[in-house]
Amino acid sequence: MAFKLGPRAISAGYRLAAFDQIGSTNTEAMARAREGEYGPMWFVTSEQTAGRGRRNRPWIAPRGNLASSILEVIDVAPAVAATLGFAAGLAIGTALQKVSIEASLRSAGSEHMTFSLKWPNDVLAGGKKLVGIGLEAEAVPGDRLAVVVGIGTNVVAAPEGTPTPATSLAAIGVHVGAEDLFAELSDAWAETRGIWDNGRGFDEIRRLWLERAAGLGQPVAVRAGAGTVEGIFDTIDEQGCLIIRKADGHRVSISAGDVHFGSTASAGAV
């Protein structure tokens, strides 16, 4: 089966570049932007060989997994563009729910079929990482910003030895092709991108994201730079920063870091 856009994505004017195999869909998307491609355009493959995730970690998609990147060239500030990651989490979360309806019914509400959003840009299934999301941005002529949002989903296989234990759709009983998942993702993205509306709709994106947030109201430890901040995951603010409420009631804003649910000791163990 070939990759195809969903009907909503087609109606919204999205285009598609699909590859049998590629080094990195993010790299290809940004290269096209440098050459003058303004999108909106999807770059997708079921086998990625040289992708990179957060903190330059390998992001490899073996045959059958889904590596997808959306290129949007927009007139927003980089800080606003960064909030697109939350829209991406909502979009892939919606797509996952749609392709897993039958498996969810069979599992009768089992925890491993619960999809949740982990700050800043992961999707978890039963507490294990199922999806990684990465953003890149560069200025392009016309005072605009080329933003590439990469969304990698473990469809048939999950990596081992990762900082956060990983899983795949196949492992939790969802047997779906990368092509079918992508069609749902492209439609869900068109919807959430419309809600986001160049940052003007981030309040609504934020509200929807918090409804699906992993660990909200629970103990959390965040490694940011050389230190670790520990407390209760309180919320995310209007810029998408993680807000932690410490034991003394003081609230700390975190703009980037590795999140670990539980104590500082668990954060240091990975």
Side-chain angles (χ1 to χ4, degrees):
M1 180 179 175
F3 284 105
K4 295 180 181 179
L5 293 165
R8 184 164 191 161
I10 293 172
S11 296
Y14 285 84
R15 292 175 291 121
L16 173 65
F19 305 88
D20 180 65
Q21 181 192 80
I22 195 171
S24 166
T25 55
N26 264 33
T27 298
E28 179 67 20
M30 191 58 78
R32 297 282 189 98
R34 294 178 188 127
E35 294 169 359
E37 174 61 64
Y38 270 33
M41 188 171 187
W42 281 100
F43 299 80
V44 62
T45 185
S46 62
E47 186 175 8
Q48 177 172 263
T49 59
R52 309 300 296 181
R54 292 187 68 241
R55 299 185 181 275
N56 213 33
R57 294 168 181 146
W59 183 355
I60 308 301
R63 175 70 64 181
N65 279 2
L66 176 61
S68 54
S69 299
I70 178 66
L71 169 65
E72 301 264 3
V73 179
I74 48 184
D75 184 15
V76 301
V80 175
T83 63
L84 257 179
F86 297 96
L90 288 170
I92 186 62
T94 296
L96 289 167
Q97 288 178 332
K98 288 188 176 181
V99 301
S100 63
I101 291 175
E102 290 186 8
S104 294
L105 291 174
R106 289 196 305 270
S107 68
S110 174
E111 181 181 319
H112 71 269
M113 287 297 302
T114 301
F115 303 119
S116 57
L117 305 177
K118 181 185 177 187
W119 186 90
N121 295 322
D122 290 342
V123 181
L124 307 180
K128 295 183 178 181
K129 183 172 178 176
L130 180 66
V131 181
I133 299 170
L135 282 75
E136 301 178 33
E138 286 188 15
V140 294
D143 293 325
R144 303 181 79 190
L145 198 67
V147 183
V148 175
V149 184
I151 305 172
T153 307
N154 299 327
V155 177
V156 300
E160 297 180 357
T162 53
T164 298
T167 191
S168 67
L169 287 174
I172 63 173
V174 179
H175 301 288
V176 63
E179 297 85 356
D180 289 331
L181 176 59
F182 171 70
E184 294 289 357
L185 170 60
S186 67
D187 277 350
W189 173 267
E191 179 179 0
T192 56
R193 169 67 175 84
I195 296 170
W196 182 76
D197 190 23
N198 286 6
R200 289 181 288 268
F202 183 63
D203 282 349
E204 178 64 7
I205 293 293
R206 174 179 175 269
R207 183 187 69 80
L208 294 170
W209 191 94
L210 285 168
E211 287 181 354
R212 306 183 191 181
L216 187 65
Q218 299 176 16
V220 67
V222 182
R223 289 200 300 186
T228 300
V229 179
E230 185 177 7
I232 300 297
F233 175 14
D234 199 34
T235 189
I236 60 171
D237 67 12
E238 291 74 12
Q239 289 75 46
C241 294
L242 178 71
I243 304 300
I244 293 179
R245 187 175 72 254
K246 301 183 73 173
D248 61 2
H250 182 62
R251 298 168 87 237
V252 179
S253 174
I254 307 290
S255 60
D258 287 326
V259 171
H260 305 277
F261 300 120
S263 67
T264 304
S266 66
V270 296

